[in-house]
């Protein structure tokens, strides 16, 4: 297939799957108050709506995102009902928690960041466009004020605290066990860093400043840059590949392909704003995929489940962050497009995010864009 043929086939698959998914699957986690379900499920629903709007220009998808955001934020609370929790959570900040990992209610930065990033992205899109602001400005303002006052403030409030010593290290970053960036797997602070970037976009927008009558925040960008620089300092060059290598956490092995999506989103959005990461950095991340993680077969492309290429070949199912890098690497675009077209399983929300980003990259690269009728909803 030529690139245009691949693009047309991918678009048809995307449109068909998007409509089916929206009607039959998108609302499954809408009423959950478990941050694990929201973070590893609903966050992709919100992202899929954002990508569908970006590709189609149809405000139906923004209305869907807005309705979901309203429901998710309405389920936030200070402390859980009927679940043991540490008194540290009775702090006045609303949010979500889960007892899935420790058996006791915990609030995790990665969940909060992952859930709220597409909501903040929605707000940034709305404030940047006068027409959208007229339609969605009140909703966007309400969402951002909630995220600023509860989610961002909660974590920034404990940013400089050290709650435990190194010998007491435990995975994850709960409010109870906060120990700073050195104690976090890289993907977990990356999710929060991504949220801060979109909050920074909104907080500096004149429309938002005029509505809230508040001075623009600067701490959001400062902390996002701090996290980006921390991550960059922990990257290594893979000999003979001109690619980057990094670990899930510095105490263990290579990052897996799935969790790396969170880091790559953060890296990409920093780079878009001219922060921390250069064009050369982005090309090295892309070569991690093409030179290390891809099996080298264009007809039957497989993606490794580990960024060091030493895992199994199931990594192609979760590539929503990697798809952003397809704007810089045609081979990466081709591999992911073929991987989706050859997959017999219907894509999940995260798969639809990846497909939407691939379509955007394919059109931006100069391939003839197909007509967009059919992906729009009334």
């Amino acid at each position: 297939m030529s690139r245009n043929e691949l693009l047309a086939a991918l678009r048809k698959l995307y449109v068909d799957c998007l409509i089916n998914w929206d009607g039959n699957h998108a609302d499954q986690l809408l009423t959950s108050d478990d941050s694990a379900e929201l973070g590893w499920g609903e966050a992709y629903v919100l992202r899929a709506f954002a990508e569908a709007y970006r590709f189609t220009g149809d405000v139906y998808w923004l209305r869907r995102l807005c309705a979901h955001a309203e429901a998710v934020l309405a389920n936030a609370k200070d402390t859980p009902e009927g679940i043991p929790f540490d008194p540290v959570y009775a702090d006045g900040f609303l949010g979500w928690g889960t007892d899935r990992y420790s058996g006791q209610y915990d609030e995790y930065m990665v969940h909060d960041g992952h859930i709220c990033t597409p909501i903040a992205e929605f707000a940034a899109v709305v404030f940047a466009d006068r027409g959208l602001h007229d339609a969605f400005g009140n909703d966007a303002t309400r969402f951002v004020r909630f995220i600023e006052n509860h989610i961002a403030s909660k974590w920034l409030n404990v940013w400089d605290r050290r709650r435990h010593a190194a010998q007491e290290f435990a995975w994850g970053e709960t409010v109870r066990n906060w120990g700073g960036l050195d104690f976090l797997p890289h993907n977990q602070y990356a999710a929060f860093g991504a949220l801060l970037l979109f909050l920074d976009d909104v907080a500096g927008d004149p429309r938002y400043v005029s509505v809230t009558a508040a001075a623009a925040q600067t701490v959001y960008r400062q902390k996002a840059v701090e996290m980006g620089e921390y991550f960059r300092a922990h990257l290594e060059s893979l000999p003979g590949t001109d690619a980057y290598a990094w670990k899930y956490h510095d105490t263990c092995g290579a990052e897996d392909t799935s969790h790396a999506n969170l880091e790559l989103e953060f890296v990409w959005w920093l780079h878009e704003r001219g922060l921390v990461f250069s064009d050369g950095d982005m090309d090295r991340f892309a070569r991690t995929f093409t030179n290390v993680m891809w099996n080298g077969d264009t007809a039957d492309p497989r993606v490794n489940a580990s960024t060091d290429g030493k895992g199994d070949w199931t990594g192609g199912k979760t590539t929503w962050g990697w798809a952003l890098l397809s704007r810089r690497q045609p081979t990466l675009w081709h591999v992911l497009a073929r991987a989706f077209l050859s997959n017999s399983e219907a894509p999940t929300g995260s798969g639809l995010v990846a497909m939407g980003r691939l379509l955007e990259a394919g059109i931006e690269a100069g391939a003839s864009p197909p007509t967009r009728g059919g992906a729009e909803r009334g």
Side-chain angles (χ1 to χ4, degrees):
M1 281 188 180
S2 69
R3 188 179 178 91
N4 273 350
E5 289 172 329
L6 274 175
L7 185 64
L10 186 66
R11 179 195 176 275
K12 183 180 186 309
L13 177 65
Y14 173 73
V15 170
D16 291 346
C17 292
L18 177 66
I19 300 302
N20 176 271
W21 169 84
D22 180 42
N24 297 306
H25 305 289
D27 294 336
Q28 290 180 347
L29 297 174
L30 185 57
T31 59
S32 175
D33 61 0
D34 185 304
S35 71
E37 290 187 344
L38 294 173
W40 306 124
E42 179 64 21
Y44 302 121
V45 176
L46 295 166
R47 274 172 172 73
F49 290 152
E51 288 303 321
Y53 169 74
R54 198 184 306 280
F55 180 66
T56 67
D58 187 348
V59 296
Y60 166 85
W61 301 108
L62 291 186
R63 290 198 297 270
R64 289 288 279 143
L65 192 158
C66 191
H68 271 240
E70 190 80 58
V72 169
L73 297 184
N75 275 326
K77 49 187 172 290
D78 187 8
T79 59
E81 299 173 2
I83 302 174
F85 66 93
D86 191 289
V88 71
Y89 294 117
D91 55 9
F93 295 117
L94 304 184
W96 312 271
T98 184
D99 60 353
R100 180 176 299 187
Y101 306 106
S102 66
Q104 182 170 339
Y105 176 82
D106 286 291
E107 290 180 317
Y108 290 82
M109 177 187 281
V110 64
H111 295 163
D112 284 357
H114 203 17
I115 294 163
C116 292
T117 290
I119 301 175
E121 182 183 9
F122 160 81
V125 169
V126 167
F127 277 100
D129 184 285
R130 177 176 296 177
L132 292 179
H133 186 262
D134 289 342
F136 297 101
N138 289 338
D139 295 318
T141 300
R142 189 170 65 258
F143 296 162
V144 172
R145 293 303 289 166
F146 177 91
I147 294 171
E148 284 196 299
N149 292 335
H150 293 284
I151 306 304
S153 293
K154 173 176 61 185
W155 291 104
L156 294 175
N157 187 54
V158 299
W159 194 263
D160 294 321
R161 296 185 189 175
R162 294 295 180 265
R163 293 184 178 271
H164 58 229
Q167 62 269 24
E168 298 171 341
F169 172 75
W171 289 113
E173 71 294 0
T174 69
V175 171
R176 181 192 307 118
N177 292 329
W178 175 260
L181 296 179
D182 288 340
F183 293 85
L184 306 187
H186 297 298
N187 69 84
Q188 299 193 8
Y189 64 77
F192 185 65
L195 168 62
L196 294 185
L197 288 174
F198 286 110
L199 286 182
D200 180 67
D201 291 345
V202 174
D205 190 287
R207 290 190 181 94
Y208 185 70
V209 172
S210 66
V211 168
T212 60
Q217 281 274 13
T218 59
V219 68
Y220 301 145
R221 177 171 290 213
Q222 292 170 358
K223 295 303 183 185
V225 168
E226 178 183 338
M227 286 183 279
E229 291 176 340
Y230 180 89
F231 180 56
R232 194 180 189 284
H234 288 76
L235 298 172
E236 302 174 1
S237 295
L238 282 174
T241 65
D242 196 19
Y244 275 140
W246 67 100
K247 298 178 180 179
Y248 177 82
H249 184 274
D250 291 338
T251 62
C252 61
E255 177 64 290
D256 63 84
T257 303
S258 179
H259 282 108
N261 287 294
L262 287 166
E263 293 142 1
L264 292 173
E265 271 196 338
F266 181 41
V267 164
W268 182 268
W269 287 327
L270 281 166
H271 173 259
E272 275 192 332
R273 292 160 176 78
L275 302 172
V276 184
F277 293 94
S278 67
D279 287 349
D281 290 322
M282 306 314 295
D283 291 336
R284 290 185 187 93
F285 282 115
R287 285 192 287 269
T288 301
F289 186 97
T290 57
N291 294 359
V292 180
M293 297 164 53
W294 170 43
N295 68 349
D297 189 336
T298 56
D300 183 24
R302 306 286 179 87
V303 181
N304 205 272
S306 177
T307 56
D308 64 2
K310 297 178 180 178
D312 60 37
W313 295 96
T314 60
K317 296 180 179 180
T318 50
T319 53
W320 43 277
W322 296 95
L324 291 168
L325 297 172
S326 67
R327 287 175 167 84
R328 303 197 62 85
Q329 175 51 266
T331 300
L332 195 159
W333 187 91
H334 182 95
V335 169
L336 289 185
R338 289 297 295 261
F340 276 107
L341 289 170
S342 64
N343 190 352
S344 60
E345 298 178 11
T348 61
S350 66
L352 289 167
V353 176
M355 291 170 69
R357 289 171 173 176
L358 290 173
L359 286 166
E360 294 169 38
I363 293 171
E364 288 176 7
S368 301
T371 58
R372 293 189 174 185
E376 300 184 358
R377 299 289 296 266

